[in-house]
C-alpha cells in the first residue's frame, strides 16, 4: 500500500513535463567489499522493486531533487531488516561508498495496478473525510501502519487529529478520483 512520493519537474525547451517520483528505499551503507549496499526499504513491493534487471533511480543525499541517476539491479538478498542490493557497474566498495545516504525512487509509470479496495498512500493522503451522514471531519494528513490494519490520521479544521482505522466497518467508501472518503464512525471514534 505504500511507496513514499515526491514530484519532480522536468523541463524541455518547448514544454514542461511533471513526473511524480516515489521513494522505495534509502541506501544506508555499503555491505562488504563487492559493491553491495544495505537498503532500508520503503515499499510494500520489494520483490517487484528490487528484481534483477529493474531500474531504480538514485537521488544523492546532497541533491536538490533534480539529478537522478539510473541504477540497474544486478542482485538482491535479504539480511536482517535490510535489503542487500548490488547494481550493474558497481563492483567494489569504492564504487558504492558515494551512494551512502542516497534515496532510491521510481517514476509513477513503474507503479503496479493494485487490487480493488487497496490504495497507495499518496492516493489517500489529502483526501477529505466525511461521515455517512455527510458531516465533514477533515483531511487525511498521514497514514500509520502499526500492525493488522493501517490507521489514517485525519486533521480537523480545529487542528485536532482523529485516528480512523482502515477497516470495512468504518471506511465505507473511498473515491480517490474525487479525493473523498466516507466513514461510519463507531461509538467513541470521533469524540
Amino acid at each position: 500500500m505504500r511507496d513514499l512520493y515526491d514530484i519532480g519537474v522536468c523541463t524541455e525547451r518547448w514544454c514542461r513535463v511533471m513526473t511524480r517520483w516515489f521513494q522505495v528505499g534509502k541506501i544506508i551503507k555499503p555491505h562488504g567489499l563487492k559493491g553491495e549496499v544495505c537498503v532500508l526499504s520503503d515499499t510494500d513491493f520489494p520483490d517487484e522493486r528490487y528484481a534483477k534487471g529493474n531500474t531504480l533511480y538514485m537521488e544523492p543525499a546532497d541533491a536538490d531533487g533534480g539529478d537522478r541517476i539510473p541504477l540497474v539491479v544486478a542482485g538482491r538478498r535479504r539480511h536482517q531488516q535490510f535489503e542487500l542490493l548490488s547494481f550493474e557497474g558497481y563492483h567494489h566498495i569504492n564504487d558504492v561508498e558515494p551512494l551512502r545516504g542516497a534515496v532510491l525512487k521510481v517514476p509513477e509509470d513503474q507503479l503496479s495496478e493494485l487490487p480493488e479496495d487497496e490504495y497507495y498512500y499518496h492516493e489517500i493522503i489529502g483526501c477529505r473525510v466525511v461521515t455517512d451522514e455527510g458531516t465533514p471531519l477533515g483531511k487525511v494528513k498521514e497514514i500509520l501502519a502499526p500492525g493488522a490494519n493501517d490507521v489514517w490520521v485525519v486533521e480537523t479544521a480545529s487542528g485536532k487529529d482523529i485516528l480512523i482505522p482502515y477497516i470495512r466497518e468504518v471506511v465505507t467508501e473511498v473515491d480517490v478520483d474525487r479525493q473523498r472518503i466516507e466513514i461510519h464512525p463507531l461509538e467513541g471514534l470521533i469524540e
Side-chain angles (χ1 to χ4, degrees), residues 122-135:
H122 72 273
E123 294 177 306
I124 299 301
I125 294 173
C127 285
R128 294 174 290 111
V129 179
V130 298
T131 67
D132 50 3
E133 295 175 349
T135 306

Side-chain angles (χ1 to χ4, degrees), residues 18-149:
M18 297 293 287
T19 301
R20 289 169 31 136
W21 291 89
F22 296 82
Q23 182 174 326
V24 297
K26 182 175 182 176
I27 297 174
I28 303 302
K29 62 181 181 174
H31 180 80
L33 300 175
K34 296 186 178 183
E36 280 187 312
V37 292
C38 290
V39 173
L40 187 57
S41 185
D42 283 329
T43 181
D44 285 340
F45 310 103
D47 292 337
E48 179 181 330
R49 300 288 178 241
Y50 309 133
K52 184 176 182 176
N54 192 33
T55 302
L56 302 172
Y57 295 84
M58 190 256 318
E59 188 174 282
D62 58 354
D64 61 0
D67 296 326
R68 292 183 184 89
I69 300 165
L71 299 172
V72 178
V73 177
R76 169 197 178 219
R77 62 190 178 104
R78 198 76 189 133
H79 178 68
Q80 297 173 356
Q81 76 270 27
F82 297 106
E83 297 287 343
L84 296 181
L85 300 182
S86 58
F87 302 110
E88 291 180 6
Y90 294 80
H91 305 292
H92 190 270
I93 188 172
N94 292 338
D95 299 331
V96 296
E97 182 62 43
L99 306 183
R100 184 187 294 263
V103 174
L104 298 173
K105 296 186 176 189
V106 295
E108 185 170 25
D109 64 5
Q110 281 189 17
L111 297 181
S112 303
E113 189 80 22
L114 293 177
E116 189 175 333
D117 295 332
E118 289 189 24
Y119 307 94
Y120 286 106
Y121 282 11
H122 72 273
E123 294 177 306
I124 299 301
I125 294 173
C127 285
R128 294 174 290 111
V129 179
V130 298
T131 67
D132 50 3
E133 295 175 349
T135 306
L137 295 177
K139 287 188 176 184
V140 178
K141 74 173 188 178
E142 75 178 295
I143 298 175
L144 307 174
N149 56 271

